[in-house]
Amino acid sequence: MVLRFPLRRSASFTLECRTLFETPDPTILTMEANVLVMGAENVGKSALTVRFLTQRFIGEYGDLESIYSRSLDVEGRKILFHIWDFPSSHGQADQDSTEEKRIQWADGFILVYSICDRASFHVLPTKVQFIKVAKEGQSPEKVPIVIVGNKRDLGHHRAVSIEEGRLLALTLNCDFYEVSAAEASHGALMVFQGLAQHFWQARLPPRRGIGIRGIVKSMSAVFARKRTDSF
Ligand SMILES: Nc1nc2c(ncn2[C@@H]2O[C@H](COP(=O)(O)OP(=O)(O)OP(=O)(O)O)[C@@H](O)[C@H]2O)c(=O)[nH]1
């Protein structure tokens, strides 16, 4: 299926998007997940999203709010992402009233900052806290949050070191990537692949250890069989 998405400004782009409904093979495991892209203004939220959707960097993205979809194959499993890209330039009042709604919609979060903009880095702890409060009652494993330091190509304007990014992510129990949406596609892809791994993990039933009872049971079964075999 070829989906046509409105893009910011007058442009539009065409995306080859194979959805779950076109996957007749029942042996392929599939799932859907909603992802919210958050962060301060101008950090590259749209650039990262469009990179993941089209592998392209188009430079200017305007301020259209959109939900995009793309499916991704990860280790033989298919995941359909719905990605809500929200421009931070929208009014603060509007943001406050609808942010909670967007957070409730989302299964996972990408928090973007620019490595050249320290203020965009400083807002992250508050955002993470806001998500955790809104998603209270759900275990952190089920609500993955990824912190992404964007604009890695602008190293000469760097205001946040990679170590600071890593440390913050560690402190907040989030994954961390530093990428350049402008330079390459693999950074955006890694971010979504990482999220996909989390979603699959959360969906798998918790692994139970065999336990002492299980070991005793298995050993008894083996010895019982041996005794029977010797008759
Ligand atoms: N050099 C460089 N510029 C980038 C990168 N990512 C985005 N930009 C530029 O940064 C500016 C903002 O990018 P957007 O993707 O519109 O940022 P945004 O966070 O969606 O901005 P809002 O919609 O205003 O919230 C644009 O001029 C992009 O071309 C990057 O990795 N490197």
Side-chain angles (χ1 to χ4, degrees), residues 17 23 33 58 61 63 71-72 79-80 101 103 107 139 190 195 200 203 205 208 216 224 231:
C17 180
T23 309
I58 57 176
Y61 300 88
D63 62 354
S71 68
L72 187 68
I79 184 161
L80 176 64
K101 198 177 83 191
I103 289 174
D107 303 304
S139 67
M190 270 165 47
L195 268 176
W200 283 113
R203 223 178 82 141
R208 291 224 190 103
V216 171
F231 283 122

Side-chain angles (χ1 to χ4, degrees), residues 8 37-51 57-64 85-90 95 112 114 116 149-154 156-157 179-184:
R8 283 100 197 264
V37 185
M38 301 168 79
E41 203 173 328
N42 230 28
V43 294
K45 298 182 293 298
S46 301
L48 194 77
T49 306
V50 172
R51 250 307 179 194
F57 179 75
I58 57 176
E60 289 308 320
Y61 300 88
D63 62 354
L64 194 74
D85 174 28
F86 180 80
S88 306
S89 47
H90 282 195
Q95 272 196 54
V112 187
S114 161
C116 314
N150 188 36
K151 308 199 183 183
R152 190 186 165 96
D153 56 296
L154 300 179
H156 47 294
H157 292 305
V179 306
S180 165
E183 256 185 7

